[in-house]
Amino acid sequence: MKKFRIIYFNVLVLGTLLIILSCKKSEDDNGLDKKTKYHGKFYQLSINEIKPKGWLKQYLVNQKNGLTGHLEEAGYPFDSAGWGQKVVDSSSWWPYEQTGYWIDGMLTAGYLLDDDFLINKAKSKIYPVLEKTGTDHFIGPSYLKKKKNKHRWVHAVYFRALMREYEVTKDSIILQKMKSFYLNQDEENFHEIRDQLNIESILWLYQKTKDTTLYSLAANIYNKMNYEGFMDRPVTASSFLESKPVYEHGVTYNEIAKLGSILYAHSGDTKYLEPSIAAYNNIDAYYLMVDGVNVSSEHLRTPPHALQTHETCDIADYSWSLGYLLMATAEVSYADKIEKAMFNAAPGAVTSDFKALQYLSGPNQVILDSTSNHNKFFRGNTAMMFGPNQFTECCPGNINRIMPNYVSRLWMKENEKSIVAAMYGPSEWNGKINGAQVNIKENTKYPFAEDIEFEFFPEKSVGFSFTFRIPGWCTAPKVSINGKVSKQIYQPGNYYSIERNFVKGDKITLLLPQRAQLSKWPNNGVAVERGPLVYALKIDENWQALEPDKNNPKSTKDFPAYHVTAASDWNYALALEETDIEDQIEIVEEKWNLNPWSTNTAPISIKVPAKKIRNWKMIEKDTVFYAMNVPVQNNGKTLWKERSDFKKNGNFFFTPPLPDLKSIRDVDEESEMITLIPYGSAKLRIAIFPMLPK
């Protein structure tokens, strides 16, 4: 009997080896680690373990009461079409993109708030769709099945909501339906520039099911799009690795740039990671604006001067994509960049009640009305005004994802014996660690304050590693454990871990001093930055709600569009010495409140010396030419150029560029102290100032 067992064991081992060898070639060709190991440094947690607190919770409550909970107020497609209880066939893909963004953001906010209204509303646009899948396993309306212009990329948008739903409910029907959808598609259906974005959800499925067929599908799509000439646009691995400006749609750049980092996390092959890193190095080098997001109106443009803008969609997609690089590498710089975008660009593009947003927003904007878009792109139209849905529908959908996605990634893990405070904000984490249930409360007013307290409540004494971040901008941090200052030297731009047996009531406190500094921008521009916050001139804002009519069909009584004009002077130049900034300014802490993102409720301000430039004035025009991006065929290749032959007459007022030093005259002799508030609190703003010559 013993001999039989040995023979049986040897046959079993031999058979297993033969199976492994038969699979080895296809797996190795795709860079798949035979152990199907996750290679990222951090991984994301289920959002039902994370709860926002303080101002972050109030922000999401405002989303619920605003556009996130009531986006049907913004009109089509949110009021009648797209993914929903009645899936409406359409002659275009775009209603499915726009509503997909909304459902994802609504469901994420709902679970973070534990709010039945948001959760049930989002689910009503998920499960009826899944129930309608037929024998071909296709998810969605029949229009999207068409072979020509396949539009599978809208599934990548919509499936993020399904992924969220599975995170919380573990409903196996979601895995089953998504897997059947992908494995019953021709691979060529994903060989369009944005259709390849399904790599994100395919690899998520691979992570959940360990079905290597899914990994092979994702890797094959990536390799063909990047290395086999399937794509002639500057968003391939090789183009990312070239350090030079490109002309590309900003959202497309961000969405595609992240894909390599996701493949790396599941393969360990650095050939995937390196192009993703290079892509965001290029954004830093050529396109990154002072508010923390790349120029995109709608295309990447350089340089990032004071009048450049970005789509609100870019805020969502830039920060979401950087989250994958953070998880892949654990590099602090990615967390710093995400925070800067969240605390400046994100609140700066939406009203504090979350009922109106801008399609395009930027650092200098002193008038926002229905003709004040100062970009060449559709110059003189509604793209920069605040409203529920004033230009195109992607941003009203995508804005709902921005802050919920941030909150969902505040906390991460390295392994089952660690917890990582990856980014900061008032919140709490509840979950298992090293076999014990642990609650950690993050008590802070960050980014409006310098201190962050972590309070630990394990169910019993348990040993684990707590990892936290020292931002790259913080040069003199202090760390205290139960009131005792740590003697360790903490350098900026690093994650650090404290390993100990934690007991109920333990506290770890970070002090992250914020020091003001000047950042320099094109055309002699300077900005005041302090910690993760950029500061802008406080301008008295006159908000005029527009009556719903034929000129404002998407303005409603409860969700109006606005004309916003300045009721105070804005034409100031800073009068600062470039060294010892802290000695020349005054930091003022205002009364704390949970709605910090409006002009009148900003909880912190900075007084700085400045002089008024009286000849720096609004630009007035009676005729404008706006540019459109239109494709032109040239030897079989699609080139893009700007047209300027579209003429528009009217009365136009535009934010002016920074004054040329040679043109500055009529400057006040005496300086005065002006007030700067956080960028996100100022809807009208000057954030990049002229700097007077010494």
Side-chain angles (χ1 to χ4, degrees):
M1 189 67 179
K2 182 178 181 181
K3 182 178 180 181
F4 171 77
R5 286 176 177 168
I6 293 172
I7 293 172
Y8 176 79
F9 177 77
N10 289 338
V11 170
L12 182 63
V13 170
L14 179 60
T16 302
L17 286 172
L18 288 173
I19 292 171
I20 291 171
L21 288 172
S22 69
C23 298
K24 188 179 191 315
K25 184 178 185 300
S26 63
E27 291 182 355
D28 286 351
D29 286 347
N30 288 322
L32 176 61
D33 188 304
K34 63 185 179 182
K35 296 179 181 177
T36 63
K37 176 185 175 184
Y38 179 76
H39 294 266
K41 297 294 190 293
F42 297 156
Y43 63 88
Q44 195 167 328
L45 306 177
S46 174
I47 56 172
N48 60 336
E49 297 182 14
I50 300 168
K51 296 299 176 192
K53 300 293 182 182
W55 74 260
L56 271 177
K57 180 178 180 180
Q58 187 60 51
Y59 195 102
L60 298 192
V61 169
N62 292 349
Q63 285 199 209
K64 172 193 172 181
N65 296 327
L67 290 170
T68 304
H70 306 278
L71 197 53
E72 63 274 7
E73 293 275 355
Y76 189 80
F78 309 107
D79 60 352
S80 60
W83 314 92
Q85 292 183 351
K86 182 180 181 182
V87 178
V88 180
D89 279 7
S90 170
S91 60
S92 177
W93 49 263
W94 65 265
Y96 305 101
E97 176 204 13
Q98 330 300 35
T99 53
Y101 290 139
W102 176 32
I103 298 162
D104 176 28
M106 178 165 44
L107 186 68
T108 303
Y111 278 128
L112 289 169
L113 290 173
D114 196 20
D115 184 89
D116 288 340
F117 169 75
L118 292 176
I119 294 169
N120 292 334
K121 191 167 186 174
K123 285 188 174 189
S124 74
K125 303 175 187 300
I126 293 175
Y127 286 99
V129 179
L130 295 180
E131 291 168 4
K132 290 181 181 292
T133 55
T135 56
D136 62 357
H137 304 285
F138 191 85
I139 298 174
S142 59
Y143 166 75
L144 296 176
K145 298 180 186 180
K146 293 181 179 180
K147 292 296 182 184
K148 186 178 180 181
N149 297 324
K150 293 176 284 294
H151 307 314
R152 297 295 187 271
W153 76 273
V154 299
H155 288 88
V157 173
Y158 178 61
F159 282 177
R160 289 171 179 153
L162 274 63
M163 291 151 62
R164 286 291 192 201
E165 176 67 4
Y166 179 80
E167 275 183 37
V168 176
T169 65
K170 299 297 186 287
D171 187 346
S172 62
I173 196 70
I174 292 172
L175 295 185
Q176 174 194 326
K177 295 281 188 177
M178 287 178 64
K179 182 177 175 180
S180 296
F181 169 82
Y182 282 121
L183 297 185
N184 283 280
Q185 292 286 307
D186 293 334
E187 186 188 303
E188 67 176 20
N189 288 345
F190 305 105
H191 292 167
E192 298 287 347
I193 183 168
R194 282 224 197 167
D195 292 341
Q196 65 178 309
L197 300 182
N198 284 274
I199 288 172
E200 178 182 2
S201 42
I202 293 169
L203 288 174
W204 176 86
L205 272 174
Y206 164 67
Q207 181 185 2
K208 301 301 179 187
T209 66
K210 302 305 180 186
D211 185 337
T212 56
T213 308
L214 291 163
Y215 178 89
S216 296
L217 174 61
N220 286 340
I221 295 167
Y222 185 92
N223 291 336
K224 287 177 180 176
M225 296 299 288
N226 285 275
Y227 302 119
E228 298 182 25
F230 278 53
M231 182 167 53
D232 188 19
R233 293 271 287 273
V235 282
T236 61
S238 59
S239 65
F240 289 146
L241 290 167
E242 296 180 21
S243 181
K244 65 179 184 181
V246 297
Y247 187 64
E248 181 55 82
H249 184 244
V251 168
T252 300
Y253 189 99
N254 275 302
E255 286 276 35
I256 294 174
K258 71 176 183 292
L259 297 178
S261 64
I262 306 174
L263 266 166
Y264 165 78
H266 293 91
S267 69
D269 192 335
T270 57
K271 81 171 183 179
Y272 297 126
L273 178 61
E274 289 166 359
S276 288
I277 292 174
Y280 287 96
N281 288 341
N282 289 336
I283 284 182
D284 288 349
Y286 302 113
Y287 313 113
L288 195 64
M289 292 167 52
V290 68
D291 66 0
V293 175
N294 57 277
V295 178
S296 177
S297 59
E298 287 182 343
H299 284 59
L300 298 172
R301 304 178 196 275
T302 188
H305 57 68
L307 290 188
Q308 294 282 32
T309 63
H310 46 60
E311 284 186 77
T312 296
C313 278
D314 279 273
I315 307 171
D317 296 321
Y318 173 80
S319 54
W320 178 250
S321 297
L322 279 183
Y324 281 110
L325 275 85
L326 173 61
M327 289 185 283
T329 66
E331 287 291 332
V332 160
S333 62
Y334 296 125
D336 290 352
K337 293 175 193 296
I338 295 168
E339 284 193 353
K340 189 171 186 180
M342 289 301 100
F343 301 150
N344 298 284
V350 65
T351 54
S352 58
D353 63 3
F354 215 83
K355 290 187 175 183
L357 72 146
Q358 294 177 274
Y359 175 71
L360 296 174
S361 63
N364 285 15
Q365 47 185 47
V366 297
I367 183 169
L368 300 171
D369 64 21
S370 54
T371 63
S372 67
N373 173 24
H374 58 245
N375 296 275
K376 289 183 179 179
F377 177 75
F378 282 98
R379 185 174 176 88
N381 81 342
T382 63
M384 292 189 70
M385 71 183 296
F386 278 97
N389 188 0
Q390 296 313 115
F391 183 57
T392 192
E393 296 80 0
C394 54
C395 293
N398 216 349
I399 196 170
N400 302 287
R401 301 175 59 237
I402 297 174
M403 201 61 75
N405 281 345
Y406 177 68
V407 177
S408 74
R409 287 172 164 175
L410 288 175
W411 296 87
M412 297 182 182
K413 279 190 174 181
E414 294 177 87
N415 53 58
E416 287 306 309
K417 294 184 179 180
S418 73
I419 187 67
V420 181
M423 295 174 287
Y424 297 140
S427 62
E428 127 178 32
W429 173 74
N430 289 279
K432 287 273 189 178
I433 187 165
N434 199 14
Q437 189 70 28
V438 176
N439 167 256
I440 305 175
K441 298 183 187 297
E442 182 176 353
N443 305 312
T444 186
K445 298 174 184 175
Y446 184 88
F448 307 102
E450 301 175 331
D451 58 310
I452 304 172
E453 179 192 78
F454 297 95
E455 196 169 6
F456 296 80
F457 298 94
E459 64 178 354
K460 61 181 179 181
S461 175
V462 60
F464 61 88
S465 174
F466 172 69
T467 299
F468 57 92
R469 172 178 125 262
I470 304 299
W473 48 261
C474 183
T475 58
K478 290 184 180 179
V479 178
S480 299
I481 303 173
N482 292 331
K484 185 176 181 180
V485 177
S486 171
K487 294 181 180 180
Q488 180 173 340
I489 303 299
Y490 295 94
Q491 298 293 340
N494 288 283
Y495 281 100
Y496 290 92
S497 296
I498 294 175
E499 295 185 19
R500 59 183 280 132
N501 285 324
F502 285 88
V503 298
K504 184 177 180 180
D506 276 347
K507 292 180 182 179
I508 293 176
T509 304
L510 310 183
L511 181 63
L512 305 175
Q514 301 178 9
R515 294 188 62 81
Q517 60 181 349
L518 295 181
S519 59
K520 295 190 176 182
W521 299 90
N523 306 321
N524 194 44
V526 294
V528 178
E529 304 188 37
R530 185 173 180 267
L533 292 176
V534 178
Y535 284 78
L537 178 66
K538 182 178 181 179
I539 301 173
D540 293 339
E541 299 168 353
N542 179 28
W543 290 74
Q544 178 188 355
L546 304 184
E547 291 293 330
D549 57 31
K550 64 181 181 179
N551 296 318
N552 300 289
K554 294 182 178 178
S555 178
T556 70
K557 180 180 178 181
D558 293 328
F559 289 80
Y562 295 94
H563 284 177
V564 191
T565 55
S568 61
D569 293 332
W570 50 264
N571 49 335
Y572 288 95
L574 296 188
L576 284 165
E577 298 290 339
E578 292 190 32
T579 57
D580 301 319
I581 302 298
E582 291 276 329
D583 295 335
Q584 304 169 67
I585 66 173
E586 179 187 357
I587 309 298
V588 180
E589 293 187 7
E590 310 289 352
K591 184 178 180 181
W592 175 247
N593 66 92
L594 296 180
N595 280 300
W597 300 115
S598 73
T599 303
N600 296 323
T601 59
I604 191 167
S605 63
I606 302 178
K607 305 286 187 182
V608 300
K611 293 183 179 181
K612 191 178 298 181
I613 303 176
R614 297 189 180 277
N615 68 308
W616 186 28
K617 297 181 179 180
M618 198 95 69
I619 294 176
E620 298 182 36
K621 295 283 186 181
D622 56 15
T623 302
V624 297
F625 294 86
Y626 66 82
M628 289 183 64
N629 304 310
V630 294
V632 178
Q633 293 298 319
N634 180 27
N635 296 326
K637 294 183 178 181
T638 299
L639 304 178
W640 292 83
K641 71 175 186 179
E642 290 184 341
R643 290 180 60 177
S644 58
D645 57 336
F646 290 83
K647 183 178 179 180
K648 190 175 181 181
N649 297 319
N651 297 314
F652 303 93
F653 295 88
F654 299 118
T655 302
L658 295 181
D660 184 273
L661 289 179
K662 295 179 182 179
S663 70
I664 293 178
R665 61 185 186 277
D666 195 14
V667 180
D668 284 2
E669 290 188 11
E670 297 296 324
S671 64
E672 59 181 291
M673 298 298 283
I674 60 173
T675 300
L676 310 186
I677 59 176
Y679 182 106
S681 305
K683 309 313 174 188
L684 294 181
R685 52 184 172 254
I686 295 290
I688 297 180
F689 294 84
M691 188 74 163
L692 289 175
K694 302 300 180 215

